[in-house]
Amino acid sequence: RAASTAEQNEKAPPLPSASPLGPNPNPSPNPNPWPGPGEPEPEREPDTMSSFMAAIGLGFNVNKAKPALQMCVSRLNININKKTNQVKAKRREVGMLLREQKEEKARIRVEAVIREDFTIEAYEILALLCELLTERIRLVDAKEECPPDLMEAVCTLIWPKPKP
């Protein structure tokens, strides 16, 4: 039995390494990534995701972001004005329906007016966030990570962006 076990060990494939990419060429002496009290912060390797994003052209570029944000503000203002004019016309229409004693139709139109008002408010908030980022875009570029006070603005603007 001992001989057969030894033969099986010789024929057994090697154990897979901990990483699917192979062994770590630069193992750190301290496997714990969290420093204790009084210990210096460990040196970090360059962020591979950001270098990957830069390699395929998806990096952050201030020279493109600032004009895009300014253009977004102007487009939002155009949409705000357009929707505001539509809401004014719909309100006049609701007034005419009420004068004609057509309350049910007026209620339906009022619901549409209220939805449009909410849309206008959302556009105004997005325009304010775009203006905020336009003014502080250099601050975002100067730091490696987005400043926490601007994180809400960035995340809010990323969410409604057009999907491919």
Side-chain angles (χ1 to χ4, degrees), residues 80-98:
I80 288 169
N81 291 335
K82 181 180 171 183
K83 294 262 186 204
T84 303
N85 291 333
Q86 289 174 351
V87 165
K88 286 179 185 176
K90 287 180 183 179
R91 285 183 180 161
R92 277 189 232 114
E93 188 179 330
V94 167
M96 290 178 60
L97 288 171
L98 289 173

Side-chain angles (χ1 to χ4, degrees), residues 42-59:
E43 289 187 30
R44 295 185 182 190
E45 295 180 17
D47 184 11
T48 55
M49 188 60 169
S50 62
S51 59
F52 169 74
M53 301 264 299
I56 61 172
L58 295 176

Side-chain angles (χ1 to χ4, degrees), residues 5-110:
T5 306
E7 289 174 11
Q8 287 176 354
N9 287 342
E10 288 176 13
K11 294 178 185 177
L15 294 174
S17 63
S19 169
L21 303 175
N24 187 356
N26 300 323
S28 65
N30 184 5
N32 183 6
W34 308 105
E39 292 182 20
E41 184 92 18
E43 289 187 30
R44 295 185 182 190
E45 295 180 17
D47 184 11
T48 55
M49 188 60 169
S50 62
S51 59
F52 169 74
M53 301 264 299
I56 61 172
L58 295 176
F60 175 73
N61 186 350
V62 175
N63 297 326
K64 290 182 180 180
K66 190 168 183 176
L69 287 167
Q70 291 169 340
M71 191 179 307
C72 184
V73 169
S74 65
R75 288 179 179 172
L76 284 167
N77 287 334
I78 289 169
N79 281 335
I80 288 169
N81 291 335
K82 181 180 171 183
K83 294 262 186 204
T84 303
N85 291 333
Q86 289 174 351
V87 165
K88 286 179 185 176
K90 287 180 183 179
R91 285 183 180 161
R92 277 189 232 114
E93 188 179 330
V94 167
M96 290 178 60
L97 288 171
L98 289 173
R99 275 187 233 117
E100 296 170 2
Q101 305 293 324
K102 297 180 180 178
E103 292 182 19
E104 288 302 316
K105 282 187 177 182
R107 285 183 190 184
I108 294 170
R109 301 281 164 82
V110 166

